[in-house]
């Protein structure tokens, strides 16, 4: 579906919904019409911009031509003739889905829509867990198992005073644990002499993968134990059954417990939850990687997507360690229900999550560069709302801003020299928010100068709305990067979020920049 | 024909050649002849209900050595009444382009039709490498309003220390608001005036200059980054890539004051763009899709000390053949 909307039951459900929307079927965009009738082409339910691909969509263009006032032929450039669409009736296929709606002026033979499709996005990775997915039974101070801290004093240890005790992870996606690492304390008597590694797909029925007995340790030792290949599973745990000093009646102390994916590499599944999506490009031949780390800090009510992008994807490496990645941009979300909107094609997703009354924008994927593809072959943009991985939507930080008018540093763009550069229009100087003159990357026209002077424009003289391309610029190195795809700056005078601006036969939904609603703080996303 | 190049003997000859060019492009001539009350010729034309007067002026004005003649001058008015005169119904002030030394090296005329009206621009190479600009037309309008007609002229202040300072406010630069207003110096200089009616005032003219009490102000350009100045300063500062060499052509957005420190975009001139000339030479052609644009400096590219210099500021004009 090109223009999508939904209600997510928390940030993990948002990931589920995005994954389904992106990866379960292809997408359609680039609607064009020429003809006499003034009807519309919409999604199957009549939603503006809701036309959608299917499970078998490929990169091709459909020509939808009126045979008479009520009937259209549907011909794909690769699929050929796939049937006829009737006005007012949803057209369904595995390649493309839409509905043509009659207007006040009837269609005549020869009236023609064109619509392009792209294949489904693919899920390259979904695994790991955050704080909410790490569990233990029988361990005191169990957060010490996962904190990455090792020492020789008691405050680094987590103790199970009675055995058996267990600790493990419930992940956002199934993965194969092939190694478990245990770090003991300097009290060798409390080291685990016996334990077993178990897995589960429902979190309640567990199966043993391997058991270890009579294990001997030195003081404060970190040791990996192999796990056989038992497939991909959502839940994994280590059940401690005996200690060195007391056997099954003893006490076990552990400093760190780690679950590694695969037999090589350093990908620790207990560290964080992450996913990697790959967009196919509008030609279906690309792999545009978008990495998402899920961040959670329940005490701070922080639940976020932290986006990364990278040109190539190493399956043995965590998202944040991928080569030449963009660095993170944060999109604060919620554990409660929230509404979201997104426009998708084969190259990018641009959307907004509404957390309470705050509109949190994001743009992930390729933009529209001013250079030729031979000069700027991978024009990627990673845009969230800041570079603080623990961001919250209730923030009033000057840097908490979206792509139309970003702060430090919620927008990073990849330049022709393969360098990711941040863009910032505003920041906090002293006690007041002001234009960011120190960052060479700027976003026009929300900023009109290198010093980040804010746009002070309102609507046209006749009251009609104006949509401006959102242009990325840099003065060091000097370069005009190009534009965001399907996103527009619009002056915010007399404008409210979720209002539609109809222009060039498209609806454009208006949003404000996070919590801000001054003239320079509005943008619109084309529903196409 | 919508592009023409050639040589002119002097400002009178230049204006005569521009007259023939306008006639060939469908403009109607209300008057062509001696200027009333001045030294030079008058060409008064209209198209699409928009009226313009263009004058040559052979007065050298030796008393004003920093804005010397000969001149080309232009104004906008709502209808035509008096032959050869700069006094016309609802006429704007004269905009003056300075120092058209003879013999001129070359002229380049461009004409075409924008979505809201026709335009005609002249670029004149007065001395080798030094250029002047003058034009008339109708903006590619944003929103529906009465007006959109504009005219512009380039004047360049010749004083030492200013002549090679591209951002100096003494220069009257088309579609840039950093020039001082004619009203503060009591003689015509260059700049831009645009008609955009609203608020019950008709006609309502907007001068793009540093004046604060105009009717009300117009805004555009790149040379001033202060509050409520300029519209394209940011893309101009980034506009010629040192990574790739490419310099995008930037529309010359214009705006008018609406009160409460807010402005409304009214459009941009068709067939004319700003371009940074870091990597280009005067007269160079710039292919863009199926179009060809031709690039000229605002006055002179990176002139040496004591010479006119507009730095890397330039205009690109769409060349239709």
């Amino acid at each position: 579906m090109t223009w999508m909307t939904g209600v997510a039951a928390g940030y993990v459900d948002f990931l589920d919904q995005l994954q389904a929307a992106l990866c379960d079927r292809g997408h359609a965009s680039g609607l064009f019409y020429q003809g006499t009738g003034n009807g519309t082409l919409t999604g199957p339910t009549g939603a503006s911009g809701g036309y959608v691909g299917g499970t078998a969509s490929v990169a091709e263009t459909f020509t939808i031509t009126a045979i008479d006032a009520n009937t259209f032929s549907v011909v794909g450039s690769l699929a050929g003739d796939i049937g006829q669409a009737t006005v007012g009736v949803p057209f369904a296929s595995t390649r493309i889905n839409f509905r043509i709606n009659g207007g006040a002026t009837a269609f005549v033979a020869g009236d023609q829509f064109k619509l392009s499709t792209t294949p489904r996005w693919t899920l390259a990775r979904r695994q790991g867990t955050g704080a909410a997915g790490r569990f233990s039974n029988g361990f005191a101070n169990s957060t010490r198992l996962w904190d990455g801290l090792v020492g020789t004093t008691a405050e680094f240890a987590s103790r199970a005073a009675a055995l058996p005790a267990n600790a493990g992870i419930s992940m956002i996606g199934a993965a194969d644990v092939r190694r478990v690492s245990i770090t003991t304390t300097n009290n060798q008597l409390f080291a685990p002499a016996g334990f077993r590694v178990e897995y589960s797909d429902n979190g309640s029925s567990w199966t043993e993968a391997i058991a270890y007995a009579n294990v001997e340790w030195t003081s404060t030792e970190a040791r990996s134990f192999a796990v056989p290949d038992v497939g991909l599973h959502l839940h994994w745990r280590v059940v401690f059954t005996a200690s060195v000093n007391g056997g099954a009646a003893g006490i076990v102390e552990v400093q760190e417990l780690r679950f590694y994916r695969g037999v090589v590499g350093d990908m620790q599944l207990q560290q964080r939850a992450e996913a990697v999506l790959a967009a196919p490009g509008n030609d279906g031949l690309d792999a545009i990687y978008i990495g998402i780390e899920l961040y959670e800090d329940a005490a701070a009510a922080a639940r976020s997507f932290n986006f990364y992008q990278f040109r190539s994807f190493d399956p043995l490496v965590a998202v944040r360690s991928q080569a030449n990645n963009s660095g993170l941009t944060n999109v604060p979300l919620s554990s409660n229900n929230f509404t979201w909107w997104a426009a998708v094609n084969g190259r990018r997703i641009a959307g907004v999550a509404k957390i309470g009354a705050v509109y949190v924008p994001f743009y992930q994927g390729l933009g529209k560069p001013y250079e030729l593809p031979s000069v700027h072959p991978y024009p990627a943009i990673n845009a969230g709302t800041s570079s603080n991985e623990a961001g919250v939507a209730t923030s009033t930080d000057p840097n908490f801003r979206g792509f139309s008018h970003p702060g430090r540093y919620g927008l990073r763009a990849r330049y022709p020299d393969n360098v990711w550069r941040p863009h910032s229009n505003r920041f906090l100087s002293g006690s007041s928010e002001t234009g960011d003159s120190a960052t060479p990357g700027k976003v026009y026209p929300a900023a009109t100068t290198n010093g980040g002077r804010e746009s002070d424009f309102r609507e046209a003289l006749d009251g009609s709305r104006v949509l401006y391309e959102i242009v990325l610029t840099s003065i060091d190195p000097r370069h005009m990067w190009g534009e965001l795809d399907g996103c527009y700056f619009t002056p915010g005078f007399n404008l409210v979020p979720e209002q539609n601006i109809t222009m060039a036969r498209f609806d454009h939904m208006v949003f404000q920049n996070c919590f801000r609603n001054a003239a320079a703080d509005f943008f619109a996303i084309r529903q196409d | 024909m919508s592009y023409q190049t050639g040589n002119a003997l002097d400002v009178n000859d230049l204006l005569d050649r521009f007259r023939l060019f306008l006639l060939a492009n469908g403009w109607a001539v209300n008057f062509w002849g001696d200027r009333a009350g001045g030294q030079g010729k008058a060409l008064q034309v209209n198209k699409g209900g928009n009226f313009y007067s263009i004058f040559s002026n052979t007065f050298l004005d030796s008393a004003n050595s920093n804005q010397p003649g000969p001149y080309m001058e232009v104004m906008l008015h709502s209808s035509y009444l008096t032959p050869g005169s700069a006094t016309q119904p609802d006429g704007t002030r004269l905009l003056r382009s300075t120092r058209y030394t003879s013999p001129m090296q070359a002229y380049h005329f461009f004409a075409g039709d924008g979505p809201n009206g026709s335009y005609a621009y002249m670029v004149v190479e007065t001395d080798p490498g030094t250029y002047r600009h003058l034009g008339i037309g109708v903006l590619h309008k944003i929103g529906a309003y009465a007006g959109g007609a504009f005219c512009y002229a380039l004047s360049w202040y010749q004083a030492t220390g200013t002549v090679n300072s591209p951002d100096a406010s003494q220069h009257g630069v088309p579609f840039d608001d950093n020039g001082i207003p004619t009203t503060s110096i009591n003689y015509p200089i260059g700049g831009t005036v645009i008609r955009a009616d609203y608020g019950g005032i008709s006609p309502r003219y907007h001068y793009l200059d540093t004046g604060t009490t105009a009717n009300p102000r117009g805004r555009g350009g790149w040379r001033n980054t202060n509050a409520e100045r300029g519209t394209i300063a940011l893309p101009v500062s980034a506009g010629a890539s040192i990574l790739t060499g490419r310099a995008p052509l930037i529309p010359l957005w214009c705006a008018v004051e609406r009160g409460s420190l807010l402005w409304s975009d009214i459009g941009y001139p068709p067939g004319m763009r700003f371009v940074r000339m870091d990597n280009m030479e005067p007269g160079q052609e710039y292919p863009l899709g199926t179009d060809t644009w031709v690039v000229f400096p605002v006055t002179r590219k990176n002139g040496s000390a004591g010479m006119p210099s507009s730095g890397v500021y330039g205009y690109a004009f769409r060349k239709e053949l």
Side-chain angles (χ1 to χ4, degrees):
Chain A
M1 182 177 291
T2 299
W3 177 252
M4 304 178 286
T5 185
V7 177
Y11 74 125
V12 177
D13 184 49
F14 185 37
L15 180 65
D16 294 340
Q17 294 188 21
L18 278 186
Q19 179 183 325
L22 294 169
C23 302
D24 286 358
R25 53 186 173 182
H27 305 94
S29 60
L31 180 66
F32 171 81
Y33 173 73
Q34 191 167 36
T36 302
N38 65 354
T40 58
L41 190 152
T42 63
T45 62
S48 176
Y51 28 79
V52 63
T55 55
S57 289
V58 297
E60 65 179 319
T61 300
F62 282 89
T63 303
I64 304 161
T65 308
I67 300 168
D68 56 41
N70 292 304
T71 310
F72 284 74
S73 66
V74 183
V75 179
S77 55
L78 296 177
D81 189 342
I82 62 170
Q84 293 185 347
T86 303
V87 172
V89 178
F91 178 86
S93 77
T94 59
R95 296 268 194 163
I96 191 169
N97 298 271
F98 60 85
R99 191 177 84 189
I100 296 173
N101 312 285
T105 304
F107 292 110
V108 300
D111 288 358
Q112 195 169 78
F113 293 95
K114 287 189 175 179
L115 196 56
S116 297
T117 58
T118 54
R120 296 183 281 182
W121 292 36
T122 54
L123 180 69
R125 171 187 294 170
R126 179 176 166 135
Q127 65 184 31
T129 188
R134 296 188 285 255
F135 63 86
S136 68
N137 292 293
F139 277 93
N141 302 313
S142 61
T143 56
R144 296 174 181 173
L145 294 170
W146 327 105
D147 61 6
L149 301 175
V150 175
T152 57
T153 52
E155 62 265 27
F156 294 97
S158 179
R159 171 180 286 195
L163 300 178
N166 67 72
I169 54 175
S170 294
M171 296 187 288
I172 63 167
D176 57 330
V177 171
R178 298 301 306 279
R179 291 166 289 156
V180 168
S181 173
I182 299 169
T183 305
T184 60
T185 67
N186 60 352
N187 190 340
Q188 292 173 252
L189 296 178
F190 294 156
F195 59 89
R196 61 180 183 269
V197 179
E198 297 181 338
Y199 62 86
S200 171
D201 290 315
N202 59 15
S204 58
S205 302
W206 294 88
T207 303
E208 180 180 299
I210 191 169
Y212 286 89
N214 303 316
V215 181
E216 296 181 355
W217 300 83
T218 58
S219 177
T220 315
E221 181 182 3
R223 192 189 305 174
S224 286
F225 298 87
V227 178
D229 185 0
V230 292
L232 310 179
H233 301 284
L234 280 172
H235 310 273
W236 294 82
R237 69 180 183 181
V238 175
V239 181
F240 296 91
T241 55
S243 72
V244 169
N245 72 327
I251 294 172
V252 163
E253 280 187 353
V254 174
Q255 293 202 75
E256 289 294 308
L257 179 60
R258 295 174 183 175
F259 296 82
Y260 286 91
R261 176 164 196 177
V263 295
V264 295
D266 187 32
M267 200 143 46
Q268 299 176 36
L269 297 170
Q270 86 288 345
Q271 273 189 322
R272 60 184 64 86
E274 61 182 36
V276 176
L277 296 158
N282 284 346
D283 58 3
L285 302 174
D286 288 332
I288 302 160
Y289 290 107
I290 297 168
I292 307 171
E293 285 183 358
L294 276 64
Y295 180 89
E296 176 170 356
D297 180 349
R303 294 168 179 88
S304 301
F305 283 2
N306 286 313
F307 283 103
Y308 294 77
Q309 288 188 38
F310 26 88
R311 181 69 183 92
S312 60
F313 172 57
D314 184 342
L316 296 178
V317 175
V319 160
R320 63 173 53 193
S321 301
Q322 293 288 325
N324 191 23
N325 71 61
S326 60
L328 77 86
T329 65
N330 174 261
V331 175
L333 300 168
S334 171
S335 58
N336 298 319
N337 287 4
F338 59 86
T339 303
W340 59 274
W341 301 264
V344 179
N345 61 24
R347 291 163 58 89
R348 63 97 176 92
I349 176 170
V352 173
K354 183 182 180 184
I355 312 300
V358 177
Y359 294 84
V360 181
F362 58 92
Y363 184 107
Q364 297 294 325
L366 304 191
K368 298 192 298 182
Y370 288 154
E371 297 292 348
L372 299 171
S374 58
V375 177
H376 197 174
Y378 198 71
I381 298 168
N382 175 0
T385 53
S386 78
S387 57
N388 172 18
E389 71 170 345
V392 293
T394 51
S395 170
T396 56
D397 189 296
N399 291 324
F400 179 38
R401 293 173 163 277
F403 53 74
S404 66
H405 196 23
R408 292 178 175 177
Y409 285 106
L411 191 158
R412 298 169 189 272
R414 199 169 193 266
Y415 277 66
D417 57 353
N418 297 331
V419 176
W420 291 92
R421 293 190 169 88
H423 294 66
S424 171
N425 288 359
R426 310 285 291 174
F427 81 122
L428 181 67
S429 177
S431 58
S432 59
E433 180 182 318
T434 189
D436 184 357
S437 57
T439 303
K442 287 284 175 296
V443 177
Y444 178 80
T448 59
T449 68
N450 290 325
R453 182 176 295 287
E454 284 193 303
S455 170
D456 49 6
F457 287 83
R458 52 178 286 182
E459 81 283 22
L461 289 177
D462 63 348
S464 61
R465 295 291 161 185
V466 189
L467 298 176
Y468 296 90
E469 300 283 359
I470 296 172
V471 180
L472 307 186
T473 69
S474 171
I475 57 166
D476 185 18
R478 195 177 61 233
H479 182 74
M480 280 186 75
W481 191 97
E483 302 163 359
L484 272 65
D485 181 6
C487 302
Y488 304 89
F489 174 83
T490 188
F493 191 84
N494 276 345
L495 205 55
V496 294
E498 301 178 44
Q499 180 177 335
N500 268 325
I501 297 174
T502 301
M503 196 171 290
R505 292 184 66 88
F506 292 104
D507 288 333
H508 303 75
M509 186 167 281
V510 171
F511 300 98
Q512 66 187 38
N513 192 343
C514 298
F515 60 89
R516 297 173 176 81
N517 56 11
D521 295 322
F522 283 78
F523 65 97
I525 301 178
R526 175 172 288 189
Q527 297 178 34
D528 172 50
Chain B
M1 180 185 293
S2 55
Y3 172 72
Q4 178 182 310
T5 185
N7 298 95
L9 298 174
D10 56 21
V11 286
N12 292 338
D13 185 38
L14 176 69
L15 188 56
D16 191 22
R17 290 169 185 267
F18 197 52
R19 174 182 67 88
L20 296 173
F21 177 72
L22 291 176
L23 282 169
N25 281 280
W27 290 70
V29 173
N30 296 109
F31 176 78
W32 165 245
D34 289 339
R35 178 176 185 167
Q39 303 176 20
K41 296 288 187 180
L43 172 63
Q44 293 169 309
V45 298
N46 74 85
K47 192 173 184 183
N50 297 299
F51 292 80
Y52 310 84
S53 290
I54 309 171
F55 303 99
S56 58
N57 187 341
T58 57
F59 179 53
L60 297 180
D61 198 1
S62 57
N64 187 4
S65 60
N66 291 323
Q67 301 275 31
Y71 307 110
M72 294 290 291
E73 297 163 348
V74 64
M75 63 179 290
L76 178 64
H77 37 99
S78 62
S79 60
Y80 166 74
L81 186 63
T82 310
S85 171
T87 301
Q88 298 291 341
D90 300 319
T92 66
R93 300 192 295 263
L94 276 179
L95 301 177
R96 172 182 283 179
S97 187
T98 55
R99 201 171 185 273
Y100 281 70
T101 52
S102 299
M104 299 169 199
Q105 301 298 309
Y107 65 77
H108 305 266
F109 297 156
F110 302 86
D113 296 316
N116 300 107
S118 300
Y119 64 87
Y121 309 140
M122 72 162 67
V123 181
V124 181
E125 186 177 9
T126 53
D127 298 315
T130 301
Y131 291 82
R132 292 291 183 266
H133 300 271
L134 182 140
I136 57 177
V138 180
L139 294 181
H140 182 155
K141 291 160 55 173
I142 301 298
Y145 60 90
F150 65 84
C151 61
Y152 67 80
L154 173 84
S155 63
W156 204 256
Y157 201 74
Q158 298 294 124
T160 302
T162 304
V163 68
N164 59 352
S165 177
D167 292 335
S169 62
Q170 289 90 339
H171 309 312
V173 175
F175 296 105
D176 180 89
D177 62 18
N178 197 40
I180 55 176
T182 298
T183 49
S184 67
I185 52 178
N186 298 318
Y187 59 84
I189 62 169
T192 309
V193 61
I194 306 169
R195 176 178 174 178
D197 297 355
Y198 64 95
I201 300 174
S202 180
R204 196 165 196 173
Y205 295 118
H206 307 268
Y207 294 87
L208 274 61
D209 58 35
T210 60
T212 57
T213 57
N215 180 28
R217 287 180 289 170
R219 175 175 169 183
W222 63 94
R223 296 194 304 150
N224 192 331
T225 57
N226 291 333
E228 300 186 84
R229 297 290 183 201
T231 52
I232 58 170
L234 180 54
V236 165
S237 62
S241 175
I242 63 170
L243 297 175
T244 67
R246 184 179 298 272
L249 306 185
I250 301 168
L252 291 152
W253 295 99
C254 302
V256 295
E257 192 173 17
R258 299 294 304 279
S260 302
L261 304 179
L262 293 173
W263 298 70
S264 280
D265 197 334
I266 57 171
Y268 55 90
M272 182 178 182
R273 298 281 188 276
F274 178 93
V275 65
R276 278 185 68 129
M277 296 187 64
D278 303 62
N279 306 310
M280 286 184 264
E281 294 304 317
Q284 183 173 330
E285 294 197 344
Y286 186 120
L288 189 65
T290 57
D291 293 340
T292 297
W293 295 69
V294 190
V295 172
F296 297 100
V298 166
T299 187
R300 184 182 181 90
K301 180 183 175 182
N302 291 331
S304 55
M307 294 288 288
S309 173
S310 52
V312 295
Y313 301 156
Y315 298 111
F317 298 89
R318 186 163 173 258
K319 180 180 178 182
E320 296 181 11
L321 294 173

